[in-house]
Structure formats: C-alpha cells, structure tokens
Amino acid sequence: MRTFLLLPLLLVTPAAAQQPREANYDESKAGNFTLPDPLVFADGTPVRTAAEWRNKRRGEVLRLFEQNVYGKTPAVRPFESERTSIDKNALNGAATREEVTLWLAGRQGPRLNLLIYKPNKRKGRAPVFLGPNFTGNHTVNADPGIKIAEVYDRSGVRKPGAETARGSGSSRWQVEKAIGRGYATATFYYQDVFADNKDGRAASIIPYFEKDPAPDSWNAIGAWAYSLSRALDYLSKDRDIDARRVILHGHSRLGKTALWAGAQDERFAIVISNNSGEGGAALARRDYGETVHRINYSFPHWFNANFKQYNARVNDLPVDQHMLIALIAPRPVYVTSAVEDRWADPHGEFLSALSASPVYKLLGVEGMTATAHPPLNQPVMSRIGYHIRSGVHDVTAYDWDQFMNFADKHLPKGR
Ligand code: GCU
C-alpha cells in the first residue's frame, strides 16, 4: 500500500506546507518525554475510582481526541440498507455470502458496499470480524461470486476494479480460515465513503452532515470510523450475527481508524490494531519513524485541522496514543507490530499499549502482562495483547492466527 499511495499524495501537497525532516531511526534520539497521565483530570486532580474514569475522565479524554486529533463525529443519521445478493453455498458450501449496500448520506450520496461471509456450520449466532479493506471487496477472496468493486486507480479515477485482481488481497483476509474457526467476516472498501486524497472530502459522506469544516471537524479517519459503526448497526440487526461479539480490526491507516472507532463506540467487543503506527497505536511523542509533522504533511485530510498545530510541538498535545487505547478499556485490545516496519515505530506501539494498563487495572481487569517488549513471534495474550512478528508492514496468516487466538480467549461466551 504504502509506496504507491504515498508518492502521488506527496506530489499534490501544497508547496506552502513546510517539508518535514528525515525520519529518525536512532533509538537513542527517539526522545525523552513525559506522557500525559490518563488518570489525571485536565485540572490536575487524580482519577481515583473506576466510576470517576467511567463517568468523567473517559469523556474528557474522548473530547481531547476529537478536539485535537481526529475531529468530532456528528450525531448518527438514520440510513437505508439493502441486501443485493445472497449465496448460501459460497466457499464450497462452508459459508453464506451476502452483499449489502448502505447509504449513509442519503440515496444520492456515496454507497458503502458490505461483503459478509457467515459460517454455515455454527451453533447459534456467529461472532464476526469486521474491518475495512484497502483494495475492493473482490480482492479479499478469489470467490467469483463477489461483485467487482469500483476502486480508485493511481490517478484518483474511480472505476470498476480488474477481474484479475480477484483474491489478490486474500492473504490479508484469511476468509476460509476464519470461517473454519466459526467466525463470520464483514468488510467494505474504505474509499467508498471518503476517497483517500486531500480533496476527498467534497464527494465524501461528510458534506451531508456539515457544510463548512471547523478546526475540530472530522475528516477521513473520522468518516471511515463512522462507517464502521454503521456497519455494526447493520450487523446488529442480522439474526445470524452475535452483536455482542464483534471484533473490529484494521491495518495501517485502517488500524488507526479501528482504534478511533473502537474508542468511540463501546459496542465493539474487541479492537485489533495491526501495524497502525503514527496516529494509531504508536506514541506521538516518540521521534522514531513517522512523526505528527510528516503524517499531517503527507495526509492532510486524515486528521482535523487542529492537529496540524502540533507539527513542531508534539509535547504540547494534551493526549498521546496510550490514551486512545485506554478509551477501549475494559474491553480487550490487541496491538501488533512487524519488526521491519520501522516507519510505524514498533517500540512506540508497544509502549503505548503498555501505558494504557493503569486504566484497565483501575477498572478491575488485567492490562498488559508483559513489562518489557516481548521477543519476536511470542504473542502476549493478556487483555491488552501484543505481538511483534518477523517481516514487513502487512497482514499475514500469522497475524490472523493470533487475532483468532486472542478472540477465542477474550470474547464473551456465545448465545
Ligand atoms: C503511509 C503512512 C502511514 C500509514 C500507511 C498505510 O505509510 O505514512 O501512516 O499507516 O501509509 O496506511 O499503509
């Protein structure tokens, strides 16, 4: 994803935006910083009880992220949906495949196309992995029954994807494996609701909710996160799906999105952030790999306008990303890194997961049991879970095995 998406976006960035400096990869220069304490109110008083976190501090932290980072998500608008296909005999009879259109911004607005696989062999309602995809629904599995999605090409033109791309992203989805372990899967093409470029807002779902952006308005990540919650609304009404057991997952920019969606919407039972990096799990204050300045420069449409104020003064941010993870408490959360994915700052991702632990403990549940960065390929399956695997920025079969092990361990029992 990274190489081909990053280059064209750099070319269209306004010349006025100041060029960020080269990324640092020297651990000794990653910075000496003090993280804001999730368990201290903005007025400096300590958060002493679970009730104080629940009733007051959680909302305060959420507002700080809206105000300074992702933007404010508007009130939910009712939406229409329509199932456009069903095949009860998909994947050689192992699954039922359904395709559903959601109109989140009225019938004239963008369509979100949800692709769902449900295991045919199951007792009761199925738990589901829900996550957006990068390349179109037809790329998540070679199943010839999936409608070819309209996707954006490199020059930003939206058109039907190539027949030859069917299943090209299947290693990142592992649909058969999930079905085999009793999980349903649901996905949509993330650019359905907001095209991923600096001018994407105009034709996105956002103008339907608000005309002129304010400094704290939501932006692409906010719109993608909103869509995940609406997909959950839809799935909650599906009698084959257990709405209490929805696992939200995302990779990279979509890992950032999953964390933000999971922080806001407490109906998600588990949240998984895969290689989400800057603006996701990685600590903003650590100067290693991508920085706040760099991400705002390359992707000005992801976060709100206020976030740009922190380009050169990241230590003034009233939050850091461990507090985003803390917003998911007490629900289980799983953070992953890849050792060669230095751009995403694996150690910063781990430290942030670790630093969310005090909130989990205040709420009376286990946090992260590891106290130091675990060795390669040795997953930590505590309630805040973590692994660092060998290899590059990607979602692999290994990652999926751990996602499912984590879900098996932490999901509430089925009905
Ligand atoms: C770029 C970007 C990252 C992002 C990644 C992706 O590399 O700098 O922040 O996570 O794209 O989404 O693939």
Side-chain angles (χ1 to χ4, degrees):
M1 283 327 300
R2 158 173 312 164
T3 34
F4 92 81
L5 279 165
L6 186 59
L7 287 177
L9 284 162
L10 283 175
L11 295 176
V12 295
T13 306
Q18 208 199 334
Q19 173 97 34
R21 55 169 174 67
E22 285 300 301
N24 170 55
Y25 290 115
D26 180 347
E27 186 57 48
S28 71
K29 297 194 178 123
N32 270 327
F33 51 81
T34 310
L35 290 177
D37 189 337
L39 294 178
V40 174
F41 285 108
D43 68 4
T45 56
V47 179
R48 292 187 207 278
T49 62
E52 279 183 356
W53 168 266
R54 268 243 56 86
N55 303 333
K56 235 176 119 199
R57 178 62 173 158
R58 185 178 187 283
E60 189 174 78
V61 173
L62 203 49
R63 298 287 97 72
L64 290 172
F65 275 107
E66 287 176 354
Q67 182 71 28
N68 297 288
V69 185
Y70 302 100
K72 193 167 161 28
T73 308
V76 178
R77 292 262 189 122
F79 63 91
E80 288 179 54
S81 61
E82 190 178 309
R83 186 164 70 194
T84 56
S85 79
I86 177 162
D87 178 356
K88 295 193 167 167
N89 210 14
L91 308 181
N92 298 318
T96 296
R97 181 192 61 247
E98 297 180 21
E99 292 171 302
V100 179
T101 301
L102 310 184
W103 288 268
L104 303 184
R107 284 269 173 172
Q108 307 307 317
R111 294 157 183 242
L112 182 148
N113 298 302
L114 196 59
L115 169 69
I116 308 169
Y117 283 97
K118 301 169 176 175
N120 284 339
K121 220 201 271 165
R122 61 165 193 269
K123 292 193 222 96
R125 296 175 179 229
V128 60
F129 277 91
L130 167 66
N133 66 73
F134 274 99
T135 44
N137 289 350
H138 59 289
T139 65
V140 309
N141 192 274
D143 178 353
I146 305 173
K147 186 171 183 285
I148 295 276
E150 281 194 351
V151 290
Y152 291 88
D153 68 12
R154 286 169 196 218
S155 46
V157 178
R158 185 175 171 106
K159 53 180 190 221
E163 190 62 48
T164 49
R166 277 194 187 284
S168 54
S170 57
S171 63
R172 285 187 167 193
W173 288 89
Q174 305 289 331
V175 176
E176 283 88 350
K177 209 175 221 181
I179 291 292
R181 285 180 67 161
Y183 289 97
T185 68
T187 185
F188 59 87
Y189 176 52
Y190 81 121
Q191 298 199 64
D192 274 354
V193 293
F194 193 125
D196 193 358
N197 66 71
K198 75 170 184 37
D199 301 317
R201 188 182 189 278
S204 76
I205 55 169
I206 291 187
Y208 179 76
F209 295 82
E210 73 181 21
K211 289 284 170 267
D212 301 311
D216 66 347
S217 286
W218 56 328
N219 222 335
I221 290 182
W224 298 330
Y226 179 86
S227 307
L228 284 165
S229 285
R230 302 295 72 78
L232 171 57
D233 293 344
Y234 177 83
L235 292 169
S236 305
K237 293 203 198 105
D238 185 326
R239 298 193 59 79
D240 299 331
I241 300 289
D242 186 348
R244 291 167 41 260
R245 293 189 294 154
V246 180
I247 307 131
L248 174 59
H249 65 103
H251 168 61
S252 209
R253 70 198 66 186
L254 301 177
K256 312 179 205 301
T257 303
L259 288 172
W260 178 229
Q264 296 176 90
D265 189 336
E266 297 186 273
R267 295 172 302 165
F268 290 111
I270 290 182
V271 183
I272 298 173
S273 142
N274 193 76
N275 304 181
S276 62
E278 189 72 30
L283 291 175
R285 278 169 175 72
R286 260 174 66 85
D287 181 8
Y288 191 99
E290 193 173 26
T291 57
V292 168
H293 190 182
R294 167 65 68 177
I295 207 166
N296 279 328
Y297 178 80
S298 308
F299 307 100
H301 56 289
W302 283 1
F303 303 90
N304 71 10
N306 283 338
F307 194 43
K308 278 92 186 157
Q309 295 169 14
Y310 299 99
N311 284 353
R313 48 183 193 95
V314 70
N315 286 304
D316 292 344
L317 261 173
V319 288
D320 210 314
Q321 299 306 108
H322 63 310
M323 292 160 77
L324 183 67
I325 296 175
L327 286 174
I328 295 165
R331 292 164 293 152
V333 59
Y334 195 66
V335 174
T336 75
S337 308
V339 71
E340 290 175 48
D341 186 18
R342 297 189 311 159
W343 182 244
D345 186 12
H347 193 50
E349 294 182 310
F350 170 72
L351 288 179
S352 153
L354 180 66
S355 309
S357 244
V359 175
Y360 279 72
K361 290 190 180 139
L362 182 71
L363 299 184
V365 295
E366 170 191 69
M368 162 84 77
T369 51
T371 49
H373 206 142
L376 267 190
N377 306 322
Q378 292 189 29
V380 178
M381 289 280 162
S382 45
R383 198 162 177 97
I384 302 178
Y386 178 82
H387 77 235
I388 179 162
R389 67 157 164 76
S390 32
V392 298
H393 187 71
D394 198 1
V395 196
T396 66
Y398 176 86
D399 295 319
W400 270 101
D401 287 341
Q402 312 321 318
F403 298 168
M404 288 188 260
N405 292 344
F406 188 77
D408 286 353
K409 175 165 181 201
H410 289 287
L411 274 180
K413 290 277 162 285
R415 287 187 277 177

